[in-house]
Amino acid sequence: MLNQIIETKRTEIKSLVQPSLVNVQKKSLYQALSKPNRSIGLIAEVKKASPSKGIIKEDFNPLEIALGYEIGGADALSVLTDRPYFKGHRDYLSAIKQQVNLPVLRKDFIIDRVQIEESVRMGADAILLIAGVVPNIELKRLYEEAAGAGLECLVEVHAKEELESLLHEFTPSIIGVNNRNLKTFTTDLSQTETIGSLVPRNSLFVSESGIHVTEDLERVKRAGAHAVLVGESLMRAESPAEGIDSLYGGEHIAATR
Ligand SMILES: O=P(O)(O)OC[C@@H](O)[C@@H](O)c1c[nH]c2ccccc12
């Protein structure tokens, strides 16, 4: 499946037409996650569908969901911009970034520098870079290119060895451990525990995927995660804010903010 997605991206890139530049105020994902609203940070994801779950939300209004996440006290947003597999759109990200006062991560499969330019133009604050889809040396180039263009990166890994070999090349400021196995699509939170022990002290550590209930949150918190990236369980909630509230077991937002 991942191979197929990457093939599709290569085709998309060949005919990519750059969007016009949207004028937005940059917000740092790193800073937001360094001082989270609650005991563990939250990147709340705007996602209509996924290859493993099909359509997650029928009546999907991305802007409304994003505004709901902001009201609910999310620290940052992740917006799917991949169209064929996740039913996202780059216009969703631009619209959200113009209306919501939170850092926005572009969730897509970035394999080429033209997509970095595209991300800047659409108004993203940060992009996802996935280890294993391009060689590490190439990932490092994309990371540096993004930094030069003013974008932060969440660098996603899936195995201990993958993180180890990545750290030989460079040390990302924000490292995501994906609990989802990209081949079988199953999620396993022990991924966060095993791989988390290797995340360098100075990097922010995000646990991604398969976090549904307060116990899951507690578990990845114990494993040292600074933040979680949550999509499906929030998308299925009665409302985005209620979803966040029940995930956090009613934990209040820090009064110091
Ligand atoms: O819906 P979930 O299980 O809460 O997962 C969110 C997020 O981690 C997931 O959407 C994701 C993680 N890495 C990705 C890479 C591409 C697309 C999507 C993803």
Side-chain angles (χ1 to χ4, degrees), residues 185-246:
F185 283 143
T186 54
T187 59
D188 181 356
L189 298 187
S190 72
Q191 284 285 95
T192 290
E193 291 158 346
T194 349
I195 307 171
S197 58
L198 269 187
V199 174
R201 280 213 168 278
N202 290 330
S203 301
L204 283 175
F205 169 21
V206 182
S207 179
E208 312 174 12
S209 311
I211 295 152
H212 296 283
V213 293
T214 312
E215 288 69 40
D216 299 337
L217 207 70
E218 292 300 330
R219 181 167 172 196
V220 301
K221 211 195 288 180
R222 276 198 301 277
H226 300 106
V228 289
L229 201 167
V230 185
E232 190 190 345
S233 70
L234 297 179
M235 293 297 309
R236 292 196 198 278
E238 204 57 51
S239 77
E242 284 175 67
I244 294 175
D245 194 58
S246 90

Side-chain angles (χ1 to χ4, degrees), residues 10-26:
R10 290 196 206 287
T11 317
E12 278 182 5
I13 288 164
K14 281 191 195 125
S15 56
L16 189 142
V17 177
Q18 293 291 358
S20 45
L21 180 70
V22 299
N23 206 355
V24 289
Q25 215 200 331
K26 284 248 170 265

Side-chain angles (χ1 to χ4, degrees), residues 51-221:
S52 55
K53 300 290 164 84
I55 303 284
I56 296 168
K57 185 127 182 96
E58 262 318 326
D59 57 338
F60 176 76
N61 182 333
L63 185 57
E64 220 168 78
I65 295 161
L67 288 164
Y69 283 152
E70 184 178 35
I71 292 166
D75 298 289
L77 302 177
S78 162
V79 181
L80 262 304
T81 58
D82 168 79
R83 291 177 77 178
Y85 300 94
F86 292 85
K87 306 245 180 294
H89 201 287
R90 66 186 185 189
D91 292 350
Y92 297 166
L93 189 147
S94 300
I96 289 169
K97 180 61 195 173
Q98 284 169 299
Q99 303 277 336
V100 182
N101 203 17
L102 292 173
V104 178
L105 168 80
R106 178 188 183 190
K107 196 51 125 33
D108 210 315
F109 299 82
I110 308 282
I111 53 172
D112 192 289
R113 56 198 295 175
V114 302
Q115 295 169 291
I116 292 177
E117 164 78 10
E118 185 192 25
S119 308
V120 171
R121 285 170 170 265
M122 64 174 86
D125 295 296
I127 56 171
L128 176 76
L129 289 180
I130 307 175
V133 308
V134 295
N136 283 341
I137 184 78
E138 186 54 30
L139 204 70
K140 182 186 180 190
R141 266 192 224 119
L142 291 170
Y143 186 87
E144 285 169 352
E145 176 99 7
L151 292 172
E152 297 174 300
C153 295
L154 169 64
V155 180
E156 174 180 305
V157 298
H158 315 85
K160 226 172 167 171
E161 306 71 47
E162 199 177 59
L163 177 54
E164 242 159 21
S165 73
L166 184 78
L167 292 173
H168 285 302
E169 290 304 333
F170 69 113
T171 305
S173 308
I174 316 175
I175 297 175
V177 170
N178 196 348
N179 299 308
R180 177 164 286 117
N181 181 314
L182 293 184
K183 292 196 179 78
T184 62
F185 283 143
T186 54
T187 59
D188 181 356
L189 298 187
S190 72
Q191 284 285 95
T192 290
E193 291 158 346
T194 349
I195 307 171
S197 58
L198 269 187
V199 174
R201 280 213 168 278
N202 290 330
S203 301
L204 283 175
F205 169 21
V206 182
S207 179
E208 312 174 12
S209 311
I211 295 152
H212 296 283
V213 293
T214 312
E215 288 69 40
D216 299 337
L217 207 70
E218 292 300 330
R219 181 167 172 196
V220 301
K221 211 195 288 180

Side-chain angles (χ1 to χ4, degrees), residues 29-66:
L29 177 65
Y30 187 91
Q31 275 178 29
L33 299 182
S34 307
K35 287 190 247 96
N37 287 328
R38 299 181 178 83
S39 55
I40 182 166
L42 173 64
I43 309 174
E45 186 156 278
V46 179
K47 172 167 75 171
K48 181 180 169 77
S50 73
S52 55
K53 300 290 164 84
I55 303 284
I56 296 168
K57 185 127 182 96
E58 262 318 326
D59 57 338
F60 176 76
N61 182 333
L63 185 57
E64 220 168 78
I65 295 161

